[in-house]
Amino acid sequence: MFWDERLISYDFGPGHPMNPVRVELTMALARELGVLDRPNVTVSGFDAADDKLLRLVHEEGYIAAVKHAGATGTPDPRHGLGTPDNPVFLGMHEASALVAGASVAAAEAVWTGRAEHAANISGGLHHALSGGASGFCVYNDPAIAIAWLLDNGAERVAYVDIDVHHGDGVQAAFYDDPRVMTISLHETPRTLFPGTGFPDETGAEGTSVNISLPPGTGDGPWLRAFDAIIPPLLRRFRPDVLVTQHGADGHALDPLAHLTLSVDGQRTAYSLLHRLAHETAGGRWIATGGGGYELVQVVPRAWTHLLAEAAGGPIPPDTPTPEGWREIARHRTGEIAPLRMTDGTDEVRISRWGDGYDPGSPVDQAVLATRRAVFPEHGLDPMTDE
């Protein structure tokens, strides 16, 4: 686990949806539940990403623009700086480089064998492009970490993004590179930012994979789509490392999107990804945060489940949230925090693709569109996985 209190300086200001209190409350909840005190968990420091690391993904002129905007407070619309989504704030470069540095440190720890799993919950800034900020993201830390892995000997890296928004910046960084498989499970771009992520965006040799789901999709159908696409492709691709992005904004309470997941559906996906890391990537797993704008009710519980899963000891869903944490949440936000680590569903059943295709289901239609677009590139039958 890579953490530094300075990470909460990634702050676009009052009223912005991406309030760093969500990360602060996650760390507080994980501490109160003892996740960070487990003997196999180390909370480590790290260095901010320097310009050499940032240039693995970002243009030199853009890095200079971020530095200038963050030092002077001057907007630079040519580079997406000073928009409603990405307001300029003082220290923007330093805060953003710190987030990127944490993800690179996680990648280095896993690749060198110092850790089997590593996490940076402040990361997952997947919309940043090579020459511009976008969607609350200044530097694209997952892409930088993946580029570092490739530069240091990884031959195949898989990136799975379960944020409600398409992971467009990571896809763009590796769209023509068959060494990187990007898989994004998101709400359809017809109804949600950034307007990309259709199934026909397949990249080099079918290594860009997009599952575009209709608004209103809940736990069962969402996990069916996950199960129908992600495991068979990871098993065929056999990455050296699995990098995952865990935006919690697919939850029903999230104010910026239209899926209807529960915390229980999300933690089920974390468990599945953990297993897939061991099955397909030798256990090498790097997990990041991402979106998520229900700051008290959703994000802290979801990401604490993620950290516990990565630590090898999932939190039972009916576990009460500690009274001390609820008081911290009330003091920091004025909100009454949830009482338990569940939304009320201990186990979410997954309906397997092999159980039969329903042509009347919009989710099954979306799944089949993705399977038809990319499965043949990997020697898989769109209907059977074989």
Side-chain angles (χ1 to χ4, degrees), residues 156 231-239 280 378-380 385-386:
R156 292 179 309 282
L233 287 174
L234 291 183
R235 289 169 184 145
R236 187 56 58 97
F237 190 65
R238 304 298 301 182
T280 69
H378 302 281
L380 294 167
D385 292 353
E386 297 178 358

Side-chain angles (χ1 to χ4, degrees), residues 218-238:
D219 287 343
W222 185 79
L223 287 165
R224 174 173 168 83
F226 179 110
D227 184 68
I229 302 288
I230 296 171
L233 287 174
L234 291 183
R235 289 169 184 145
R236 187 56 58 97
F237 190 65
R238 304 298 301 182

Side-chain angles (χ1 to χ4, degrees), residues 9-377:
S9 66
Y10 189 88
D11 185 355
F12 290 110
H16 193 280
M18 199 164 181
N19 189 324
V21 74
R22 68 202 188 116
V23 178
E24 184 183 345
L25 290 178
T26 298
M27 292 300 293
L29 181 56
R31 284 194 192 97
E32 290 276 337
L33 286 172
V35 174
L36 305 184
D37 295 326
R38 295 178 184 178
N40 63 328
V41 173
T42 302
V43 180
S44 301
F46 53 91
D47 295 325
D50 60 18
D51 286 9
K52 181 180 179 181
L53 283 172
L54 298 175
R55 286 196 301 268
L56 292 174
V57 168
H58 295 290
E59 298 168 6
E60 191 164 355
Y62 172 57
I63 299 168
V66 174
K67 290 179 178 179
H68 183 262
T72 65
T74 306
D76 185 347
R78 295 174 305 155
H79 293 101
L81 301 169
T83 66
D85 275 3
N86 290 86
V88 169
F89 62 92
L90 294 178
M92 174 182 280
H93 166 75
E94 291 77 12
S96 305
L98 200 66
V99 175
S103 288
V104 172
E108 183 177 9
V110 168
W111 187 241
T112 59
R114 289 191 291 111
E116 188 173 42
H117 310 326
N120 170 25
I121 59 162
S122 72
L125 306 181
H126 60 168
H127 293 308
L129 301 170
S130 61
S134 177
F136 314 162
C137 305
V138 177
Y139 294 140
N140 195 318
D141 63 285
I144 295 167
I146 292 168
W148 183 92
L149 287 165
L150 296 174
D151 268 12
N152 284 272
E155 296 181 357
R156 292 179 309 282
V157 179
Y159 171 77
V160 176
D161 187 320
I162 59 173
D163 194 289
V164 77
H165 302 89
H166 176 227
D168 58 331
V170 183
Q171 174 179 288
F174 304 106
Y175 197 70
D176 298 318
D177 190 339
R179 297 175 299 170
V180 180
M181 174 175 280
T182 62
I183 306 176
S184 181
L185 178 69
H186 49 263
E187 182 180 331
T188 173
R190 290 188 173 90
T191 56
L192 195 66
F193 176 90
T196 57
F198 290 99
D200 62 358
E201 299 170 30
T202 58
E205 301 176 18
T207 52
S208 289
V209 181
N210 290 291
I211 311 133
S212 169
L213 297 175
T217 300
D219 287 343
W222 185 79
L223 287 165
R224 174 173 168 83
F226 179 110
D227 184 68
I229 302 288
I230 296 171
L233 287 174
L234 291 183
R235 289 169 184 145
R236 187 56 58 97
F237 190 65
R238 304 298 301 182
D240 296 322
V241 185
L242 177 63
V243 180
T244 55
Q245 196 268 21
H246 298 268
D249 40 9
H251 194 279
L253 295 179
D254 195 90
L256 300 188
H258 316 98
L259 298 189
T260 57
L261 304 182
S262 70
V263 165
D264 303 290
Q266 292 171 323
R267 64 174 172 77
T268 301
Y270 307 159
S271 174
L272 294 172
L273 288 167
H274 187 185
R275 288 182 220 164
L276 285 165
H278 285 281
E279 180 184 347
T280 69
R284 290 178 288 272
W285 181 27
I286 299 156
T288 70
Y293 310 102
E294 209 333 302
L295 308 175
V296 177
Q297 306 301 318
V298 176
V299 176
R301 290 187 298 156
W303 288 352
T304 296
H305 277 300
L306 173 64
L307 293 175
E309 179 66 45
I315 296 168
D318 61 353
T319 299
T321 56
E323 183 178 352
W325 176 76
R326 296 197 300 271
E327 180 57 27
I328 292 169
R330 187 199 63 77
H331 175 73
R332 293 289 290 111
T333 69
E335 287 194 35
I336 297 174
L339 297 177
R340 294 196 300 157
M341 292 296 290
T342 178
D343 283 337
T345 305
D346 286 353
E347 184 175 355
V348 181
R349 180 181 175 274
I350 301 175
S351 172
R352 309 286 178 185
W353 185 254
D355 295 340
Y357 165 65
D358 178 0
S361 163
V363 169
D364 277 19
Q365 293 168 19
V367 168
L368 186 57
T370 299
R371 290 172 67 104
R372 283 177 170 163
V374 297
F375 271 37
E377 291 271 11

